[in-house]
Amino acid sequence: MKKIKINEIIKKKGKEPIVCLTSYTKNISEILDKYCDLILVGDSMSMVLYGMNHPREIKLDTMILHAKAVKKYAKKSLVVFDMPYKSYENKYLAYQNARKVLNQTKCDAVKLEGGKKIVKIIKHLTSKKIPVMGHVGLLPQKVKKFRTQGKNFKERNKILNDAISISSSGAFAVVVECVVESLAKKITENISIPTIGIGASRYCDGQILVTEDMIGLNNISAKFVKKYSNIRKIIEKSVKMYCKDVKKRRFPSFHNIYNYK
Ligand code: KIV
């Protein structure tokens, strides 16, 4: 299986949609790897996997453990590590932590949230050969409440300029989260790197969703999430059947036991 390179992701801009999803675990990673160009070990694991109240609560070392498993089972896709809150406050800290992440997890790149303010940090990391993915629009590490971005002129301009700065700072792609469709289109048309949308319309060069949202495991109802299955229901049905079997002593049956012979 041939590993996807960063250059191949960049070349897809305007030609072929880039398929991305999140993974925090071995099993999901194994499945996604067959279909995705890029797998993100997102800090969304804070809320989705650990039931924390905010992405700010997840620690770098916790994410590193998950990323090791994800990367080990992703042979083809590009694996990007989402740098958690306070792990890239200045260029020195960002470099120290990004190095640690890439050394320990073998991930291919890191993702940083922010616009103009983090340009210096991205430039520093890329000058040290650390591939970076940006993230503009709604910034989950910064906000208390999730709301659509770019609904007024000032906000639109700020986000567009943020995306332009990220693009010219050396990042190879940028996540555009929860912005109005016309802004996503404008950003995509005005920067040279691929835009990866989440709640940002079909005009982006690629799409990403949190896998647990997309398969209906995480109980979230957001307009931008399309639920492709209801895994929660399937799990519940299986648990119910198991429960009944145990109570009626139907499990384990002779198929599930060990004998001398
Ligand atoms: O943490 C995450 O999962 C993300 C994606 C949703 C883009 O940042």
Side-chain angles (χ1 to χ4, degrees), residues 111-206:
K111 176 169 86 62
L112 268 55
E113 280 184 18
K116 274 188 174 170
K117 281 187 186 158
I118 63 160
V119 162
K120 266 192 188 162
I121 299 175
I122 298 182
K123 280 187 173 163
H124 186 64
L125 294 182
T126 52
S127 75
K128 304 261 187 203
K129 307 250 176 299
I130 295 186
V132 178
M133 188 178 190
H135 186 148
V136 299
L138 185 102
L139 305 176
Q141 291 174 6
K142 306 263 180 329
V143 298
K144 278 202 183 130
K145 253 192 174 177
F146 281 55
R147 70 162 179 86
T148 314
Q149 308 285 302
K151 283 191 163 175
N152 60 62
F153 181 76
K154 200 176 156 202
E155 206 171 80
R156 271 179 83 85
N157 249 358
K158 186 192 173 298
I159 297 170
L160 176 61
N161 286 326
D162 278 345
I164 292 170
S165 318
I166 297 301
S167 173
S168 41
S169 69
F172 72 90
V174 62
V175 168
V176 180
E177 179 160 357
C178 257
V179 304
V180 293
E181 184 178 59
S182 56
L183 177 57
K185 186 169 186 281
K186 190 151 192 187
I187 292 173
T188 304
E189 288 168 353
N190 281 279
I191 65 174
S192 58
I193 58 171
T195 54
I196 308 296
I198 173 159
S201 89
R202 70 201 154 99
Y203 289 107
C204 291
D205 297 301

Side-chain angles (χ1 to χ4, degrees), residues 22 24 40 42-44 82 111 135 175 177 198 208 210:
T22 60
Y24 323 127
L40 175 72
D43 67 350
S44 51
D82 200 7
K111 176 169 86 62
H135 186 148
V175 168
E177 179 160 357
I198 173 159
I208 188 162
V210 168

Side-chain angles (χ1 to χ4, degrees), residues 48 210 212-214 216-225 227 232:
V48 176
V210 168
E212 282 77 349
D213 295 349
M214 189 271 286
L217 179 60
N218 193 32
N219 239 343
I220 161 186
S221 63
K223 194 178 179 187
F224 66 86
V225 177
K227 290 203 174 167
R232 221 183 157 87

